[in-house]
Amino acid sequence: MAHDAPQAAGHTKLVIRNIGLLLSGALEKPILDADTIVAENGKITAIGRLKDVDTAHATTTVDAHGTTVAPGLIDSHVHPVAGDWTPRQNQINWIDSYLHGGVTTMISAGEVHMPGRPRDVIGLKAMAIFAQRSFWTLRPGGVKVHAGAPVIENEMVEDDFKELAAAGVKLLGEVGLGGVKDGPTARKMVGWARKYGIQSTIHTGGPSIPGSGLIDKDVVLEADTDVVGHINGGHTALPDGQIRCICEGCKRGLELVHNGNERSALFTLRTAREMGDLNRIILGTDAPAGSGVQPLGILRMIAMLSSLSDVPAEIAFCFATGNTARMRALDCGLIEIGRSADFVIMDKAQHSPGKTLLDSVQLGDLPGIGMTIIDGIVRTQRSRNTPPATSVPEIVGH
Ligand SMILES: [Zn+2]
């Protein structure tokens, strides 16, 4: 099993220099004109040209060797259970494997794979609080897992949401995975959750595994969750007409997942683009699921969406970084002063015909990851999971 994230001792100052391309994560300006980032005590303190920023007294210096730096990727839809283990496909170290795919933050859509998951109200509340606490204490490889996402049941009352919020629960699991499957009840409870600062998501589309059910456009629009969870199905998608109705009928987040229907993901992306709503697109894997664990799932979504649509690669990276961070009020996901120093450093994969990293992604190739950094601390170097990067960054000073 992976162990607790290494803790930085005392003051830290990270300098990343010689950056060839800096992706911001922000749709409005996806590429920044800078070659150096400085982070102190885990937060970004300077972004600019080497000669203009204070790099003195660094505790760690990384030479990016001309490669690409982006915010660490955010997986908006995972189903963690306990520590770095999942019973769904009985795998250990799956979160650590995701880190090797560039994912530094994960959002739970419900700890629904917990064996013997309690469905009574006090039991489901206790499990949510337990999951929130345990994943914040144990961060596999340093990955920030936002967990503790209860799945709502019909017997819940407003005070339950108030109590959950007071205990630190900030998310609901996918509406529809529990007993609440009708629009009016879902809307009432989502409203209670929102009142107490708890974000919500919903299972969209056909049943994912035996025991789950259909959630169609009418339920999705009536429930009015903050995120339309896997609008491209998990895996069975709604008909295109219903997906269009959801896109046009609300302003909520449109989540596209790896464990979903790729054609429907592209249809959603096209629809959002026509509407001028690309800021609503966020990415997840929905793993672990029936289709397994996908350590490169977010990178694969970025390459798939970019190569099969007209969206440039630097925009597709925003779907997995800044868009999600803004929608979910996270302090990471953007290269901005004051944000968490969570980065993924990449280069085009060896032998990709693409001329640059962005060109290779637009051709449908996955980038090679050379390093991940969370809270200003180097967590991994050359990825064990991606195709090998052409150039890799190097730690040149401690
Ligand atoms: Zn689902």
Side-chain angles (χ1 to χ4, degrees):
M1 299 287 283
H3 297 286
D4 285 280
Q7 297 292 316
H11 175 86
T12 63
K13 181 171 180 177
L14 168 74
V15 173
I16 309 174
R17 57 175 163 81
N18 204 6
I19 297 168
L21 175 70
L22 183 53
L23 301 179
S24 71
L27 278 181
E28 65 276 14
K29 192 181 183 200
I31 295 175
L32 296 176
D33 179 23
D35 62 10
T36 305
I37 296 176
V38 180
E40 292 186 60
N41 299 326
K43 302 286 183 197
I44 299 171
T45 51
I47 304 154
R49 293 274 152 201
L50 182 62
K51 63 178 169 39
D52 301 324
V53 299
D54 175 14
T55 59
H57 310 296
T59 53
T60 303
T61 301
V62 172
D63 186 330
H65 288 308
T67 58
T68 297
V69 174
L73 307 178
I74 304 168
D75 188 332
S76 170
H77 193 132
V78 296
H79 292 292
V81 167
D84 203 352
W85 167 69
T86 168
R88 172 53 62 185
Q89 304 300 343
N90 204 14
Q91 277 182 275
I92 56 169
N93 289 348
W94 70 278
I95 296 172
D96 188 68
S97 244
Y98 267 60
L99 178 61
H100 280 262
V103 172
T104 55
T105 294
M106 294 177 159
I107 314 281
S108 174
E111 295 78 35
V112 288
H113 300 154
M114 172 65 81
R117 170 167 74 94
R119 291 165 189 259
D120 62 303
V121 175
I122 194 166
L124 74 86
K125 285 194 295 186
M127 197 182 86
I129 295 164
F130 160 76
Q132 187 275 330
R133 297 286 191 282
S134 65
F135 278 103
W136 207 245
T137 307
L138 176 116
R139 286 170 43 183
V143 175
K144 298 167 177 173
V145 183
H146 296 264
V151 174
I152 55 174
E153 296 289 345
N154 284 304
E155 296 74 20
M156 294 178 82
V157 296
E158 179 173 345
D159 269 354
D160 293 317
F161 294 83
K162 187 177 180 184
E163 189 185 353
L164 283 164
V169 170
K170 295 187 168 62
L171 299 162
L172 285 191
E174 289 173 72
V175 172
L177 296 188
V180 177
K181 297 187 194 293
D182 68 290
T185 310
R187 186 182 187 87
K188 179 178 68 180
M189 293 190 182
V190 164
W192 287 336
R194 190 170 286 132
K195 178 175 171 184
Y196 297 106
I198 297 175
Q199 277 209 350
S200 51
T201 185
I202 190 164
H203 172 97
T204 308
S208 48
I209 50 173
S212 87
L214 167 73
I215 300 287
D216 67 7
K217 73 156 179 15
D218 295 326
V219 179
V220 169
L221 289 173
E222 183 156 21
D224 193 32
T225 50
D226 297 299
V227 171
V228 180
H230 57 60
I231 190 170
N232 64 319
H235 184 279
T236 313
L238 294 172
D240 289 354
Q242 290 206 28
I243 290 177
R244 180 175 286 282
C245 277
I246 292 171
C247 293
E248 293 175 352
C250 71
K251 282 290 175 192
R252 302 298 184 184
L254 304 172
E255 185 188 74
L256 308 179
V257 299
H258 187 271
N259 181 52
N261 179 317
E262 290 90 347
R263 195 196 57 79
S264 302
L266 288 162
F267 176 80
T268 306
L269 180 61
R270 246 188 343 265
T271 304
R273 195 168 199 224
E274 284 164 18
M275 294 172 63
D277 274 356
L278 284 184
N279 62 316
R280 294 168 63 194
I281 299 285
I282 60 175
L283 305 185
T285 56
D286 193 8
S291 61
V293 163
Q294 301 107 14
L296 307 183
I298 296 294
L299 285 179
R300 285 174 56 84
M301 287 298 288
I302 290 169
M304 189 272 283
L305 296 172
S306 176
S307 60
L308 299 181
S309 77
D310 296 328
V311 169
E314 63 270 28
I315 295 290
F317 274 99
C318 299
F319 302 156
T321 55
N323 275 11
T324 322
R326 285 169 172 167
M327 196 175 299
R328 294 185 172 282
L330 304 173
D331 71 354
C332 56
L334 291 159
I335 305 294
E336 254 177 23
I337 288 172
R339 294 261 172 185
S340 281
D342 300 350
F343 310 114
V344 55
I345 309 185
M346 304 168 283
D347 197 15
K348 69 170 187 164
Q350 291 174 14
H351 305 293
S352 168
K355 290 185 187 63
T356 62
L357 173 116
L358 295 177
D359 190 34
S360 73
V361 171
Q362 274 159 221
L363 287 173
D365 283 337
L366 300 185
I369 290 177
M371 187 175 283
T372 62
I373 293 170
I374 301 175
D375 291 335
I377 301 169
V378 175
R379 307 292 175 157
T380 60
Q381 298 199 41
R382 190 192 280 281
S383 167
R384 68 171 186 257
N385 288 334
T386 64
T390 304
S391 294
V392 291
E394 183 184 3
I395 298 172
V396 292
H398 269 298

